[in-house]
Amino acid sequence: MSVRSLKEFVESSRQKDASPEPFELESSHLLEVKLSGRVWAKAGAMVAYRGAVKFTRQGVLEQGLGNLLKKALTGEGTQLMKMEGQGRVYLADSGKKITLLRLAGESIYVNGNDVLAFEDGIASDITMMRRVAGMMSGGLFNVRLSGNGVVAITSHYEPLTLAVTPDQPVFCDPNSTVAWSGSLNPDIVTDISLGTLFGRGSGETVQLKFAGEGWVVVQPYEEVYFQQPGAGRG
């Protein structure tokens, strides 16, 4: 690796404005949000900011009764924060790759760990798979994002999108599933014979079956789902 002067390093790594869009990737692992109003982001994802920005964790009333009940039952959920004001905020999540998606009245489901940020025009709702919760450490919760605006999702390494058709269902390791189209409602299937072949975690015999018309995004990595201290203990 060649040695660079301090001036060369500062210049090459300097923040750049290549797009007027509110969400801009400074790199594949770092998102810049040009804040003018309000944006929702994963709590703890802010790495730097400048300007007059206020950060507030998602309030109890803003989560909705349904989401609160789901969190109480499972001990899990994605913690969001509001970013309000005028300025620039830089977001990242453990060096994961960031993908920006523009929704135009559409909906997608995203693994709760993989939601990084979304514009204020996007509605969010926690969904959970109860059968998985009893089989896997921490269970499996997802966030349904719908409306008009840009969402930022994350994945470990480069994601792969697989087409789902009525004659070709797709089976996925829950720990490697990132997102899927809003038209799909996966089923939980188990197969003991696949225990040594499909996945390596505690849910290695559990798969998600996607059938119908749509797509599913997977990553070459097994995610460890968030679980609050004491959750799931008898």
Side-chain angles (χ1 to χ4, degrees):
M1 179 180 294
S2 60
V3 177
R4 292 178 290 177
S5 69
L6 184 57
K7 181 179 179 180
E8 289 172 333
F9 166 73
V10 171
E11 189 59 36
S12 64
S13 60
R14 187 187 302 275
Q15 179 265 329
K16 303 175 181 65
D17 280 325
S19 168
E21 293 285 343
F23 283 20
E24 180 183 353
L25 291 178
E26 291 294 327
S27 73
S28 58
H29 312 288
L30 186 64
L31 172 66
E32 179 194 57
V33 177
K34 301 179 180 70
L35 188 63
S36 179
R38 181 170 67 178
V39 166
W40 294 91
K42 185 175 185 177
M46 186 273 291
V47 298
Y49 77 95
R50 60 187 182 190
V53 181
K54 180 182 178 182
F55 299 91
T56 310
R57 282 189 179 270
Q58 186 181 37
V60 172
L61 296 179
E62 293 169 312
Q63 298 180 53
L65 180 60
N67 283 349
L68 283 176
L69 289 175
K70 292 167 189 174
K71 289 184 179 182
L73 287 171
T74 63
E76 51 185 47
T78 185
Q79 183 68 55
L80 298 174
M81 64 179 177
K82 286 185 295 184
M83 307 188 303
E84 299 175 287
Q86 303 285 330
R88 306 280 180 108
V89 183
Y90 300 89
L91 304 173
D93 186 8
S94 302
K96 294 164 67 176
K97 178 180 173 61
I98 302 170
T99 300
L100 300 181
L101 304 172
R102 186 181 301 279
L103 301 186
E106 302 146 306
S107 64
I108 62 170
Y109 290 91
V110 184
N111 180 295
N113 279 342
D114 299 324
V115 176
L116 181 63
F118 52 91
E119 291 188 287
D120 203 31
I122 299 293
S124 66
D125 181 56
I126 296 175
T127 65
M128 66 178 180
M129 298 181 181
R130 293 179 178 84
R131 286 185 58 193
V132 177
M135 302 174 188
M136 300 173 60
S137 175
L140 180 66
F141 69 96
N142 307 287
V143 181
R144 184 178 187 268
L145 300 174
S146 58
N148 293 277
V150 177
V151 304
I153 66 174
T154 60
S155 62
H156 288 276
Y157 311 107
E158 195 72 30
L160 173 67
T161 300
L162 301 172
V164 178
T165 61
D167 61 334
Q168 289 289 330
V170 175
F171 296 83
C172 300
D173 181 344
N175 297 83
S176 299
T177 305
V178 175
W180 60 87
S181 51
S183 59
L184 299 179
N185 185 23
D187 290 325
I188 311 301
V189 296
T190 58
D191 189 339
I192 300 301
S193 66
L194 289 178
T196 59
L197 302 175
F198 204 105
R200 298 187 300 276
S202 60
E204 58 191 8
T205 63
V206 179
Q207 301 106 50
L208 298 181
K209 178 185 178 181
F210 293 89
E213 195 76 44
W215 45 264
V216 58
V217 180
V218 295
Q219 62 184 0
Y221 185 90
E222 288 189 81
E223 190 90 37
V224 176
Y225 295 109
F226 173 81
Q227 186 172 19
Q228 294 177 352
R233 296 175 184 171

